[in-house]
Amino acid sequence: MRHINFQHVIFILASLILTSRAQAYPDFIGYSYSSCVTCHYNGLGGGALNDYGRALFATEITSRQVFPKSMEEEEIAEMSGFLGKKKLPWWVRPGLKYRGLWLQMEPGATASTERYINMQNDVNLNFFFDKKQNYALITTVSYTGIEPYYGKTNTWFMREYYLRWKQSNNFWLYVGQMDKAYGIRNVDHSAVSRKAITLGQFDQSQGVIGHFTYPDWDVAVNAFVGNAAQEDPQKQKGFSVAGEYQVYEKFKVGASVLTSQSDLQQWNLAALTTRMGLSKGSAIMGEFGLRQKKDKIADSEAELGTYAIVQTMVEINRGYNFLSILEHTKGDINKSSAEAMKWSLGAMMFPLPRTEFRAMATNGKTYSDTGGADDAWALQGQIHISY
């Protein structure tokens, strides 16, 4: 059997990146907002919303039914600040984020289990050194529950902290601890394109990102040296490049590459991404990647696996959306290995300002050349408060 050479894939994707990057809530390209810098302090997406992003969340994403018909959209936007209509000093913008998950495994079965997980507990404190916000310090303090943060549970920690410099409308520089520049920053940190490939909720890394952004394309280059909370042998050090090109309005294609290693493991990642707005409020996005992992201690042969995620959001009415997420992984494409598929269907709702609810049903399958396991079913209820 012919083995696929990862270096060849890197070369091909690198050539695509130099002419093309993908970003999150990336679904919102359906509202014609294809660049994350429009709403986020981090131009690559994720993290705290800026003032414009808060107003947009209230006036386009949140259901209109909660507001009186006599209230104008401008007045709704004015109420979206951290203290409502009360203006804060120009040099500071705080924020709070909470995300909780109710999970029931194998509903209806004798062995059914359920639990509630506090997934995200963030306090954002963002400071600016000039009124135009060209110079900023972005920080996030988080609290971890049962999910360990490098061996610690039930503790507060600094998840991200970085300086941001807007040199011009076309170039942004970030220095500090932050998410790596790679792929689509899906808000679901347990997705196959996140935690399983070293891009999970707590996988921020100290480093430098240079972000070039233009109307039709943007490229981010990231050099990193590992998370400050890790022991030195565990720190993944390397670089990544992520790019995206707008083919036409509401349709973008992109590519990403990442290579890193510690004393224990070596990782190589490569992906193609796409995002397309279908109609107002509706969109489809996908990420299709290769992941190569090598255990340096065992000195075993590197495993070259694949992953894919396709997410579709269809607006039913303002604030209420149908959501479909299809995920697939294969352990090693160069030999017989297990494959896994998961399909999640449900609703993503924004019935109140600053609030998101999700109700999902998921079906998971695992199979290999020698057989497969019984389907795994789950029900999920999720709440997200962004203040």
Side-chain angles (χ1 to χ4, degrees):
M1 179 180 180
R2 183 181 177 183
H3 284 210
I4 294 176
N5 190 309
F6 192 86
Q7 283 68 34
H8 292 168
V9 176
I10 292 290
F11 176 80
I12 293 170
L13 290 182
S15 65
L16 290 172
I17 289 169
L18 292 177
T19 61
S20 64
R21 195 195 59 115
Q23 307 134 335
Y25 280 100
D27 315 77
F28 292 166
I29 192 172
Y31 292 95
S32 298
Y33 301 105
S34 59
S35 176
C36 296
V37 75
T38 305
C39 297
H40 292 269
Y41 290 119
N42 189 317
L44 280 76
L49 292 172
N50 57 31
D51 291 349
Y52 185 81
R54 285 175 173 271
L56 208 136
F57 190 101
T59 58
E60 290 212 49
I61 311 302
T62 303
S63 172
R64 188 66 171 81
Q65 296 172 354
V66 71
F67 302 105
K69 292 182 179 180
S70 59
M71 186 176 289
E72 298 291 337
E73 296 290 1
E74 288 186 8
E75 187 176 356
I76 295 173
E78 290 174 358
M79 296 170 56
S80 65
F82 184 75
L83 296 178
K85 289 186 176 182
K86 183 176 176 60
K87 292 188 178 298
L88 295 171
W90 62 264
W91 52 269
V92 64
R93 289 294 184 272
L96 301 172
K97 281 183 177 289
Y98 171 78
R99 191 178 290 270
L101 172 71
W102 170 81
L103 176 64
Q104 184 180 46
M105 299 298 297
E106 303 301 337
T110 306
S112 177
T113 61
E114 64 178 79
R115 58 177 176 153
Y116 186 84
I117 305 168
N118 293 307
M119 297 193 299
Q120 183 180 11
N121 308 273
D122 289 351
V123 178
N124 306 118
L125 285 173
N126 308 303
F127 303 96
F128 307 98
F129 305 106
D130 66 308
K131 290 185 178 181
K132 292 185 177 180
Q133 298 186 356
N134 291 326
Y135 304 91
L137 171 63
I138 310 299
T139 69
T140 300
V141 180
S142 298
Y143 183 83
T144 180
I146 60 173
E147 185 173 359
Y149 179 72
Y150 300 108
K152 298 180 180 179
T153 58
N154 300 308
T155 186
W156 289 95
F157 62 95
M158 288 292 295
R159 189 162 68 87
E160 63 178 3
Y161 45 89
Y162 58 88
L163 293 168
R164 187 198 71 178
W165 174 43
K166 179 186 177 183
Q167 190 272 336
S168 69
N169 288 333
N170 304 123
F171 180 72
W172 303 66
L173 184 69
Y174 305 85
V175 180
Q177 180 158 294
M178 55 205 153
D179 289 323
K180 300 166 192 168
Y182 181 88
I184 295 176
R185 288 188 175 176
N186 194 314
V187 295
D188 182 3
H189 66 270
S190 65
V192 296
S193 57
R194 293 288 309 274
K195 185 176 180 179
I197 57 172
T198 73
L199 299 171
Q201 184 180 13
F202 301 147
D203 285 327
Q204 291 76 29
S205 187
Q206 293 180 321
V208 178
I209 294 178
H211 184 198
F212 302 87
T213 177
Y214 289 84
D216 292 335
W217 62 270
D218 65 319
V219 172
V221 181
N222 183 193
F224 52 87
V225 295
N227 191 293
Q230 292 177 297
E231 299 292 334
D232 284 341
Q234 298 175 317
K235 291 183 178 180
Q236 287 284 324
K237 303 175 182 179
F239 71 91
S240 65
V241 184
E244 195 171 50
Y245 175 73
Q246 180 168 283
V247 180
Y248 53 81
E249 187 181 4
K250 294 187 180 182
F251 178 47
K252 288 197 166 188
V253 295
S256 298
V257 294
L258 182 151
T259 181
S260 67
Q261 61 179 318
S262 66
D263 292 345
L264 308 177
Q265 293 180 338
Q266 180 176 354
W267 282 88
N268 292 303
L269 306 174
L272 295 173
T273 60
T274 183
R275 297 185 294 135
M276 179 186 292
L278 304 175
S279 61
K280 184 177 180 180
S282 301
I284 184 170
M285 65 181 188
E287 180 170 331
F288 312 90
L290 293 172
R291 52 176 181 81
Q292 185 183 64
K293 176 184 176 183
K294 180 177 174 62
D295 188 333
K296 296 176 69 175
I297 300 299
D299 197 27
S300 56
E301 183 179 350
E303 296 179 352
L304 181 59
T306 62
Y307 71 91
I309 179 170
V310 176
Q311 182 166 310
T312 306
M313 185 178 78
V314 178
E315 184 182 70
I316 302 169
N317 196 10
R318 176 170 151 179
Y320 297 89
N321 309 274
F322 168 80
L323 187 64
S324 168
I325 307 171
L326 185 62
E327 301 173 75
H328 177 271
T329 60
K330 182 173 175 60
D332 195 333
I333 60 176
N334 287 322
K335 61 184 179 182
S336 176
S337 63
E339 293 186 55
M341 289 190 68
K342 185 170 76 170
W343 192 8
S344 303
L345 289 172
M348 181 166 66
M349 301 163 284
F350 304 91
L352 301 170
R354 315 171 193 267
T355 307
E356 171 196 347
F357 292 101
R358 292 195 190 193
M360 306 289 290
T362 69
N363 171 249
K365 299 176 181 288
T366 302
Y367 50 93
S368 64
D369 291 345
T370 58
D374 292 339
D375 286 12
W377 293 88
L379 296 176
Q380 299 179 4
Q382 189 175 141
I383 181 172
H384 176 209
I385 298 173
S386 182
Y387 202 88

